[in-house]
Amino acid sequence: MPTLSVLDLSPICEGSDATQALNNSRALAQHCEGAGYHRYWVAEHHNMRGIASAATSVVIGHIAAGTKSIRVGSGGIMLPNHSPLMVAEQFGTLAALFPDRIDLGLGRAPGTDGITAHALRRTLHSDPNQFPQDVIELKGYLGSTCQPGQRVTAVPGFGSEVPLYIWGSSLFGAQLAAILGLPFAFASHFAPDAMMRAISLYRQEFEPSEQLDKPHVILGYNICAADTEEEALLLRSSGLQAFLNLRQGNPGPLPKPDPNFEANLSDTDRAMLQQVSSASAVGTRDSVGSQVQAFLDKTQADELIVVSQIHDHDARCKSYDIAFDACAGL
């Protein structure tokens, strides 16, 4: 069975609010911990009315406090928005509160639009191309060895050895993860085009490190599972509507399922949705299992981090149950 994890965008559903979204995230983490999922990551996005996880480290603390054993972390912290020292202090604090349970996934995109990136202040004087140096600086703050002449220490943070992961959707992230000997998580759940090239590059150029002795590939994967194919397709319509809204520059709350969704799609819409279909499974237990197996045969992924953008909380929990059961025999 492949290692299965969860990627949660803390969706604010149509007709609901951020409080409910964050409570749902904690409840889903508890549910997935009981089901046997390995880790639970939340994502940093800003200025999006449908996502409640902008203060990512705070949300991680909320989820970790409500769970006991599942690993909790970021998929990812968008490092150009922050100083490495502040990230080290935040995650060092989380590691002190929840020992041996915190992951730090890092990305170099701003997780928002240009105007909001400026409002975040960090990008007024920072360059996303500085990302490799920022990762190395952050790694140093979380390590157990002071460098000669080092005058700044992350407290909490120093000596915590919080494991780092590179989170990306391009060859850049794959190459950086390989050079630094870090696990590589690819955002194939919404941008799968470069997935196979990125995986190949990462595996070919990987250099062992003190954290990792061989490549570890984590792939984002959409699963929407239900008792019937018809119900699964209906539930999936919420996430697809949200994807189109985002691509069309109109992000908002996670829409309710639409039984007429397919019939109302334009050719342009269908072309955009085709982009994510290669990293998605929709249907019943047996159908999902077959689709996941085909994806694993293609990618040889070490771990899938499952995304389920489903409007109804109970249906979302059930989808994760069916998905785990479907993969149990793979």
Side-chain angles (χ1 to χ4, degrees), residues 241-253:
Q241 290 176 78
F243 178 81
L244 287 178
N245 290 340
L246 178 63
R247 284 290 184 263
Q248 293 164 355
N250 186 36

Side-chain angles (χ1 to χ4, degrees), residues 91-116:
F91 278 77
T93 300
L94 289 167
L97 293 170
F98 311 103
D100 301 318
R101 290 185 57 205
I102 301 301
D103 297 331
L104 177 47
L106 300 165
R108 70 167 182 148
T112 186
D113 56 85
I115 294 174
T116 309

